[in-house]
């Protein structure tokens, strides 16, 4: 397994030298139970709130609010203007010494739930646009903040599976949304409200309920955590310091220009952007595509669920393989290739109207499996090669914020006038998927060159990695 060569015998912690042999208590399981399910739920909420507008669309949203022809697309992209701008300052605020992650994330989540619920109460298209914009502000804190906190608790070897589980919860969002929409649509007429309104109202109330769990159970950063005993906390801090260096955030001592121009952040962000084009397209348009394949609205809602579950399966399987072999690069390339197959089928379908609808349905599985595999592996690959809380905080904010800018593209290239074949959207999706492969190869090349230079510098005597000079992982 290609991991850094570090002396794991001893480590200097805040209280002195610490033995890094495995502690008697299995505190890692405790961390997993506290961190992954709840923080994963915040990511589920992001995708749930992002996908439910697609479910509401096929239940009559556009007609109910008398939306213009491009109104649905505008509702999609207006959300991402504040979402992209807020990510980096949000993570920097959350990383400050006096800010507690549970309070910070919990407050944002409860406000998000209120705004999301109001989408089902608005009477006008303009009101929906305003609510979508506000959602972008408060939702921006959740994925980047959750990924930031997870990255702080685990070593590079441990992180891959945890990020896969975190992203798994994200994929559950649209899967659950399809299932909920199938049930909620039967509430059409209850309290005089259309079924699409109940989709927003009930899922917004679910967001508010989860926010109280975040307040109660999400832990503080490792050096301030109260969920571990003294010995376990001491062992964790020593292990993390050996693996990633000092994680305290001192804003005055950070070389911000170096952090903000780090290619180890920007190449993974470009890769994430390219694969998120597929994810954004799927979450926004799968129900519509299934409807256009001939299924009625109710069946289209249900038939979207296996597509998302395929993404979960590929994520977990890839993380398990990565943990065994210590590689991320080949798995990401495989995911890109598999997603590419899906896009190619869609393009062929758009030029060959006689192609069996089942083939097009299969292409959505290929896109889901390949795309969500890439997301988990790319974030893990980035955090694996970074050091320090500032770099990890900025890195996770950039990749989860700017990486999601693909939603701007997806919102505008899938034109309603081109339905159901969307030649512009499918061509753009394939082009960005190919670009993702190019960025992946370039990133691998830069990491390989760094390692070669380091080996030549150390010469025949080799040398031991430290927190300044170390081999990058592939």
């Amino acid at each position: 397994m290609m991991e850094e060569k570090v002396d794991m015998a001893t480590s200097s912690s805040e209280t002195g030298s610490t033995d890094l042999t495995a502690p008697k208590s299995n505190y890692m399981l405790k961390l997993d139970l506290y961190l992954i399910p709840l923080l994963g739920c915040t990511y589920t909420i992001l995708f749930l709130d992002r996908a439910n507008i697609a479910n509401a669309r096929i239940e009559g949203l556009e007609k109910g609010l008398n939306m213009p022809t491009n109104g649905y697309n505008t509702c999609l992209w207006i959300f991402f203007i504040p979402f992209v701008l807020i990510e980096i300052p949000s993570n920097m605020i959350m990383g400050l010494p006096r800010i507690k992650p549970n309070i910070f994330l919990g407050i944002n989540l409860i406000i998000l739930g209120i705004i999301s619920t109001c989408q089902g109460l608005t009477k006008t298209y303009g009101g929906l646009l305003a609510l979508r914009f506000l959602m972008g502000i408060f939702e921006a804190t959740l994925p980047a903040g959750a990924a930031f906190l997870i990255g702080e608790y685990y070593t590079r070897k441990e992180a891959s599976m945890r990020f896969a589980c975190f992203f798994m919860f994200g994929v559950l969002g649209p899967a659950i949304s399809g299932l909920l929409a199938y049930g909620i649509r039967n509430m059409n007429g209850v309290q005089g409200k259309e079924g699409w309104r109940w989709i927003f109202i009930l899922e917004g109330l679910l967001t508010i309920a989860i926010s109280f769990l975040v307040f109660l159970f999400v832990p503080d950063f490792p050096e301030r955590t109260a969920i571990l005993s003294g010995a376990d906390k001491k062992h964790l801090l020593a292990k993390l310091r050996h693996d990633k260096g000092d994680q305290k955030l001192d804003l005055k001592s950070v070389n911000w220009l170096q952090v903000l121009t780090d290619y180890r952040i920007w190449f993974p962000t470009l890769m994430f952007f390219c694969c998120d084009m597929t994810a954004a397209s799927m979450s926004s348009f799968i129900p519509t595509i299934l409807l256009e394949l001939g299924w009625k609205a109710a069946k289209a809602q249900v038939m979207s669920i296996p597509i998302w579950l395929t993404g979960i399966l590929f994520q977990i399987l890839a993380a398990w393989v990565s943990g065994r072999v210590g590689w991320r690069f080949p798995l990401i390339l495989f995911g890109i290739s598999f997603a590419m197959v899906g896009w190619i089928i869609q393009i062929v379908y758009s030029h060959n109207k006689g192609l069996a609808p089942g083939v097009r349905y299969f292409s959505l599985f290929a896109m889901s499996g390949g795309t969500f595999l890439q997301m988990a592996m790319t974030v893990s690959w980035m955090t694996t090669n970074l050091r320090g809380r500032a770099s990890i905080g900025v890195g996770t904010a950039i990749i989860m914020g700017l990486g999601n800018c693909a939603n701007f593209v997806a919102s505008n290239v899938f034109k309603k006038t081109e339905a159901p074949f969307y030649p512009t959207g499918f061509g753009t999706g394939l082009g960005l998927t190919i670009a993702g492969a190019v960025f992946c190869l370039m990133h691998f090349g830069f990491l390989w060159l760094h390692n070669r230079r380091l080996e030549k510098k150390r010469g025949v005597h080799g040398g031991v990695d430290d927190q300044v000079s170390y081999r990058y992982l592939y």
Side-chain angles (χ1 to χ4, degrees), residues 393-416:
V394 169
T396 51
I398 289 177
I399 198 170
M400 302 297 285
L402 295 180
N404 273 293
C405 282
N407 288 271
F408 287 111
V409 181
S411 300
N412 290 285
V413 297
F414 281 86
K415 303 173 184 178
K416 190 174 182 179

Side-chain angles (χ1 to χ4, degrees), residues 51-74:
N52 63 10
I53 191 171
N55 300 117
R57 183 189 193 188
I58 66 175
E59 298 297 340
L61 168 67
E62 291 170 298
K63 183 179 179 180
L65 293 182
N66 195 26
M67 292 166 62
T69 303
N70 65 340
Y72 177 74
N73 296 72
T74 304

Side-chain angles (χ1 to χ4, degrees), residues 156-455:
R156 288 161 294 162
K157 183 179 178 181
E158 297 164 347
S160 290
M161 181 58 77
R162 274 73 181 190
F163 275 119
C165 292
F166 172 66
F167 278 94
M168 175 193 75
F169 278 89
V171 186
L172 279 174
I176 293 172
S177 184
L179 184 61
L180 289 176
Y182 176 73
I184 295 173
R185 70 187 306 272
N186 295 318
M187 295 183 65
N188 186 43
V190 175
Q191 296 293 316
K193 294 179 174 60
E194 302 99 311
W196 65 263
R197 291 186 181 276
W198 284 110
I199 292 176
F200 289 127
I201 292 170
L202 294 184
E203 292 180 8
L205 293 175
L206 176 63
T207 302
I208 293 172
I210 292 176
S211 71
F212 291 107
L213 298 178
V214 170
F215 278 117
L216 292 173
F217 297 111
V218 168
D220 208 335
F221 283 105
E223 69 274 9
R224 305 194 300 262
T225 187
I227 64 173
L228 297 180
S229 67
D232 289 342
K233 178 180 175 181
K234 187 176 180 181
H235 181 275
L236 173 66
L237 292 176
K239 180 177 67 171
L240 293 174
R241 190 168 290 108
H242 251 309
D243 189 64
K244 296 188 287 190
D246 190 357
Q247 295 298 93
K248 291 183 179 180
L249 178 60
D250 182 358
L251 295 177
K252 295 180 180 179
S253 64
V254 175
N255 184 339
W256 290 107
L257 180 62
Q258 184 178 358
V259 170
L260 291 170
T261 58
D262 193 340
Y263 75 86
R264 295 170 300 171
I265 292 175
W266 285 104
F267 272 108
T269 297
L270 290 170
M271 292 160 55
F272 195 96
F273 175 91
C274 292
C275 73
D276 193 54
M277 170 62 189
T278 308
S281 302
M282 291 172 62
S283 63
S284 298
F285 296 99
I286 274 183
T288 304
I289 289 176
L290 296 183
L291 193 64
E292 289 161 352
L293 286 178
W295 288 315
K296 294 182 179 179
K299 187 174 181 181
Q301 303 282 23
V302 174
M303 294 300 285
S304 69
I305 297 172
I307 298 170
W308 302 112
L309 295 180
T310 299
I312 293 174
L313 177 63
F314 272 69
Q315 276 185 339
I316 298 299
L317 184 60
W320 180 81
V321 173
S322 176
R324 293 279 179 164
V325 302
W327 285 73
R328 297 152 189 85
F329 162 69
L331 294 167
I332 293 173
L333 274 185
F334 169 77
I336 293 172
S337 302
F338 202 43
M340 203 178 299
V341 169
W343 283 115
I344 291 172
I345 291 175
Q346 294 286 1
I347 290 175
V348 171
Y349 185 90
S350 68
H351 290 89
N352 182 6
K353 313 306 187 288
L355 194 66
V359 177
R360 194 183 189 193
Y361 185 52
F362 164 78
S363 73
L364 298 175
F365 286 85
M367 294 162 72
S368 177
T371 296
F372 292 106
L373 180 158
Q374 291 177 66
M375 285 185 160
M377 287 290 101
T378 300
V379 175
S380 174
W381 198 12
M382 182 195 72
T383 58
T384 287
N385 290 317
L386 296 179
R387 293 291 184 278
R389 182 162 292 173
S391 289
I392 294 176
V394 169
T396 51
I398 289 177
I399 198 170
M400 302 297 285
L402 295 180
N404 273 293
C405 282
N407 288 271
F408 287 111
V409 181
S411 300
N412 290 285
V413 297
F414 281 86
K415 303 173 184 178
K416 190 174 182 179
T417 54
E418 294 183 349
F421 306 113
Y422 302 113
T424 303
F426 296 150
T428 305
L430 178 61
L432 284 177
T433 302
I434 294 171
V438 174
F439 291 133
C440 182
L441 291 168
M442 291 176 67
H443 187 47
F444 172 79
F446 278 111
L447 298 181
W448 181 83
L449 284 174
H450 165 84
N451 288 348
R452 289 281 291 176
R453 293 192 189 107
L454 187 62
E455 289 168 2

Side-chain angles (χ1 to χ4, degrees), residues 90-107:
S90 170
N91 265 14
M92 290 299 94
I93 292 171
M94 193 176 110
L96 293 174
R98 295 184 180 181
I99 303 297
K100 293 184 178 296
N102 64 320
I103 303 298
F104 183 78
L105 295 176
I107 289 175

Side-chain angles (χ1 to χ4, degrees), residues 65 75 115 118-119 121-134:
L65 293 182
C75 286
I115 296 172
C118 289
Q119 288 181 108
L121 303 176
T122 185
K123 301 296 183 181
T124 65
Y125 167 61
L128 181 63
L129 285 182
L131 291 167
R132 296 291 294 177
F133 185 88
L134 290 173

